[in-house]
Amino acid sequence: MSRDLREQVALGCRILGAEDQGDFVWGHVSARDPDGRGVWMKASTYGFEEIGADQVILVSWDGEVLEGEGRRHIEYPIHTELMRARPDVACVVHTHAPWATAFASTHEPLRPISHEATLFVPPDVARFTKTGDLITSAELGRDLAGAVGDRNAAFMLHHGIVTCGGDVRTGVMTAVLLERACRTNARAAAAGGPKSWSSDEEALSKRGRCWSPQLLEQAWDYLARRLAGGL
Ligand SMILES: [Zn+2]
């Protein structure tokens, strides 16, 4: 059971690496331990592309490594505190996604000018602005969870992104889609700024049509096949 979960977290890490969300060895994916002991989380000192099941460790709610070999990331409270606050969340992703970090700094609202952004807006993406520094305490983790609220993502200004979902696939694909949405918005901004975008009504309709669990699974499976070298 835990082996399957570790494999999923590892695959999520490798997908994020292939999607250019790695920042040397920083950024992490976690999954809630089914037995309530804490979170299965990428070990520190490795890049996303290097992660296999053996580099996914069980971290307690207070940051103690309970199972697995490797060191835990100092920012583990991003994961433990968001999951404590959100019983519906079983996966948390934090990356220093380059397009999202750049776009968030413009303070422009994310516009639904492509399919990806409709997973997030309306309303505009949540923003955590208390600090751009590392999230190293439970208190900061709780503040971040408060900024996320009941949403699936937040910009962490001057730092990166956090996304979450009810399973690993959803949490990781949410990070993939947020980064792609920001890339599209940043490109439009660089070309003079978008002149039109989906209405709120159209964006909400597309959210259900484009990003149902089945379609997220298809996109995840495609990225997994591409990683496996089959494409
Ligand atoms: Zn970070």
Side-chain angles (χ1 to χ4, degrees):
M1 173 67 195
S2 76
R3 192 72 193 174
D4 286 355
L5 204 53
R6 291 166 89 172
E7 294 281 4
Q8 282 242 320
V9 169
L11 177 56
C13 287
R14 296 195 302 275
I15 284 175
L16 289 165
E19 288 287 302
D20 197 27
Q21 292 205 33
D23 181 15
F24 302 105
V25 297
W26 299 293
H28 7 94
V29 177
S30 70
R32 185 188 291 273
D33 177 54
D35 297 327
R37 295 171 293 174
V39 297
W40 288 95
M41 186 174 171
K42 168 193 172 295
S44 68
T45 75
Y46 299 102
F48 275 144
E49 299 85 348
E50 301 179 283
I51 301 298
D54 289 343
Q55 287 78 42
V56 178
I57 60 178
L58 178 60
V59 178
S60 79
W61 298 105
D62 297 318
E64 193 185 338
V65 177
L66 298 178
E67 259 188 61
E69 299 291 321
R71 292 162 53 188
R72 64 147 170 77
H73 279 280
I74 196 170
E75 290 194 298
Y76 78 88
I78 294 173
H79 303 260
T80 49
E81 296 308 318
L82 187 48
M83 287 203 208
R84 266 201 242 254
R86 290 275 300 274
D88 60 311
V89 165
C91 171
V92 174
V93 174
H94 165 60
T95 77
H96 302 165
W99 286 101
T101 306
F103 180 74
S105 78
T106 69
H107 292 208
E108 287 294 318
L110 187 76
R111 302 291 192 192
I113 58 178
S114 64
H115 294 336
E116 296 97 332
T118 65
L119 184 61
F120 307 97
V121 295
D124 195 15
V125 180
R127 283 158 205 269
F128 174 70
T129 58
K130 183 172 185 179
T131 179
D133 205 341
L134 303 184
I135 306 300
T136 58
S137 68
E139 184 187 356
L140 279 173
R142 283 194 291 273
D143 290 341
L144 176 61
V148 175
D150 63 358
R151 310 285 299 277
N152 59 355
F155 290 136
M156 299 165 67
L157 253 70
H158 318 146
H159 184 163
I161 61 170
V162 59
T163 67
C164 57
D167 53 42
V168 172
R169 189 170 59 218
T170 305
V172 170
M173 286 309 301
T174 301
V176 168
L177 292 165
L178 182 57
E179 173 70 344
R180 287 181 175 227
C182 291
R183 181 177 65 188
T184 303
N185 271 250
R187 283 173 168 162
K195 300 295 187 289
S196 65
W197 47 84
S198 288
S199 65
D200 285 359
E201 188 185 14
E202 183 174 87
L204 290 170
S205 164
K206 285 174 68 172
R207 184 176 302 174
R209 196 184 311 283
C210 299
W211 306 122
S212 65
Q214 291 78 10
L215 294 191
L216 281 179
E217 183 175 0
Q218 288 176 22
W220 163 277
D221 287 347
Y222 163 73
L223 291 173
R225 290 197 302 276
R226 200 175 66 177
L227 260 183
L231 305 176

